[in-house]
């Protein structure tokens, strides 16, 4: 499968590298307004291919995206230390519309996979600008937040994060909601599992894990300027679910008809991902306070989107 990546910075290049290592694509094309950067990143990733899976990695213009089944959009300005994702909105929206026009001129049948922040709002911008069905415009959403949640829970419980089934919902950002009430370790609710292994989940443990998930990006940005490895791997995982029609359940963002009474809002819920994009959206079991927090997150995103309309 051919995959395009528009934006050859750290996130785009990390996604390309992860795809090459995982064997997630047979043809990877990097596009960037800085053509020299795109060529350098493509060449560097190509040099890793002999140690991984066979694939072609190259750089080009929008015309090189012809035939791409998935195009990852990671173009845009970077998040500054201390800056919320939502504050990036006005700086990214105009550039984004221009990029989408170039992508769809070459690959009108592709699935758009949005990685640019603020990813939920950018997903809605992409849907409007592209005219594609909403199931084919997917934001990376909380896939990385969910990975952080599972990693921290697994660490506390002493089990592999792959055995933890828990999701972060809503905005990829400050208002996100950790779905504690529906979290499972193996087949057991995490609280019951925790008691059995002598690792009770106290209020202090929950607070520590919540902070570890919610503030992770800010700490990483403060330390090294941006995040890229985790989201690169997450994007590669989504692409593989599409390529292989896996029907995998992943926490990704898309414009959703209604969430907690808020209509047409882009945010993350567990969704079934396959060859056609989003096949189904799941409604996880939520405690009352979690449901209210999800409504608040949806309301915040909707208000921001309506501000963009103006």
């Amino acid at each position: 499968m051919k995959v395009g990546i528009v934006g050859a910075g750290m996130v785009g290049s990390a996604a390309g590298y992860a795809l090459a290592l995982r064997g997630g694509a047979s043809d990877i094309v990097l596009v960037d307004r800085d053509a020299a950067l795109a060529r350098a990143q493509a060449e560097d990733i190509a040099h890793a291919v002999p140690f991984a899976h066979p694939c072609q990695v190259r750089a080009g213009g929008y015309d090189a995206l012809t035939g791409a089944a998935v195009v990852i959009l990671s173009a845009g300005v970077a998040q500054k230390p201390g800056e919320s994702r939502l504050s990036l909105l006005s700086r990214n929206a105009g550039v984004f519309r221009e990029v989408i026009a170039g992508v769809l001129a070459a690959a009108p049948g592709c699935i758009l996979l949005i990685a640019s922040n603020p990813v939920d709002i950018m997903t809605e911008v992409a849907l409007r600008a592209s005219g594609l069905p909403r199931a084919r415009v997917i934001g990376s959403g909380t896939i990385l937040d969910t990975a952080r949640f599972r990693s921290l829970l697994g660490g506390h419980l002493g089990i592999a994060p792959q055995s933890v089934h828990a999701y972060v919902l809503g905005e990829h950002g400050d208002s996100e909601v950790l779905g504690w009430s529906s979290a499972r370790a193996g087949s057991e609710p995490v609280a019951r599992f925790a008691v059995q292994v002598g690792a009770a989940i106290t209020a202090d443990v929950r607070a520590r894990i919540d902070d570890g998930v919610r503030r992770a990006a800010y700490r990483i940005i403060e330390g090294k300027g941006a995040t890229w490895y985790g989201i690169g791997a997450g994007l590669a995982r989504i692409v593989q679910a599409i390529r292989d029609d896996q029907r995998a359940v992943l926490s990704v963002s898309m414009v959703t008809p209604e969430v907690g009474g808020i209509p047409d809002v882009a945010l993350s819920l567990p969704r079934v991902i396959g060859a056609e994009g989003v096949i189904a959206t799941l409604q996880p079991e939520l405690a009352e306070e979690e449901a209210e927090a999800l409504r608040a997150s949806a309301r915040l995103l909707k208000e921001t989107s309506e501000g963009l309309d103006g």
Side-chain angles (χ1 to χ4, degrees):
M1 185 175 78
K2 183 175 182 178
V3 176
I5 301 173
V6 180
M10 297 310 298
V11 170
S13 62
Y17 182 57
L19 280 167
L21 290 186
R22 291 174 64 100
S26 57
D27 189 359
I28 301 169
V29 179
L30 278 75
V31 178
D32 197 282
R33 65 172 62 189
D34 183 344
L37 174 64
R39 285 193 301 270
Q41 297 282 36
E43 185 175 358
D44 197 12
I45 295 168
H47 294 164
V49 168
F51 305 110
H53 299 268
C55 69
Q56 182 178 16
V57 186
R58 55 198 169 95
Y62 287 117
D63 59 324
L65 297 174
T66 300
V70 178
V71 176
I72 297 170
L73 302 184
S74 57
V77 294
Q79 188 175 8
K80 298 176 181 178
E83 181 182 28
S84 73
R85 294 180 179 92
L86 291 177
S87 72
L88 289 171
L89 177 57
S90 61
R91 299 199 293 139
N92 269 333
V95 172
F96 216 60
R97 295 187 186 96
E98 196 175 303
V99 166
I100 289 169
V103 168
L104 292 183
C110 72
I111 291 173
L112 292 178
L113 178 51
I114 316 304
S116 302
N117 276 322
V119 69
D120 301 294
I121 302 300
M122 292 297 102
T123 299
E124 185 164 350
V125 169
L127 180 67
R128 297 180 194 174
S130 68
L132 292 173
R134 65 180 71 198
R136 298 180 70 83
V137 180
I138 305 170
S140 57
T142 60
I143 193 165
L144 178 53
D145 310 88
T146 289
R148 291 165 175 159
F149 188 20
R150 293 178 178 184
S151 178
L152 291 170
L153 262 176
H156 174 72
L157 297 172
I159 61 174
Q162 291 85 350
S163 294
V164 178
H165 310 287
Y167 296 92
V168 177
L169 315 171
E171 179 202 358
H172 173 52
D174 297 338
S175 72
E176 65 190 21
V177 181
L178 277 63
W180 284 98
S181 60
S182 59
R184 297 288 186 272
S187 62
E188 291 291 295
V190 290
R192 185 185 304 164
F193 185 97
V195 170
Q196 293 183 56
V197 298
I201 298 177
T202 64
D204 286 345
V205 169
R206 284 181 60 140
R208 175 175 56 79
I209 291 176
D210 184 279
D211 181 75
V213 173
R214 198 177 302 276
R215 303 296 301 175
Y218 294 109
R219 285 190 291 269
I220 293 169
I221 290 167
E222 182 179 356
K224 70 174 194 174
T227 65
W228 55 80
Y229 293 126
I231 189 57
L235 291 164
R237 178 68 187 91
I238 297 168
V239 169
Q240 285 193 294
I242 294 168
R243 185 197 66 178
D244 298 335
D245 195 22
Q246 290 179 350
R247 311 299 175 98
V249 179
L250 304 172
S251 57
V252 297
S253 183
M254 68 174 282
V255 177
T256 309
E258 185 270 330
V259 177
I262 311 298
D264 294 320
V265 60
L267 47 62
S268 287
L269 289 169
R271 304 185 197 272
V272 181
I273 307 297
E276 297 305 313
V278 177
I279 296 168
T281 294
L282 308 178
Q283 299 294 332
E285 178 184 344
L286 297 175
E288 184 177 346
E289 63 273 16
E290 293 169 340
E292 180 51 43
L294 182 59
R295 279 192 292 271
S297 186
R299 191 178 305 115
L300 170 65
L301 288 164
K302 185 66 174 179
E303 289 170 355
T304 305
S305 172
E306 289 173 344
L308 179 62
D309 291 338

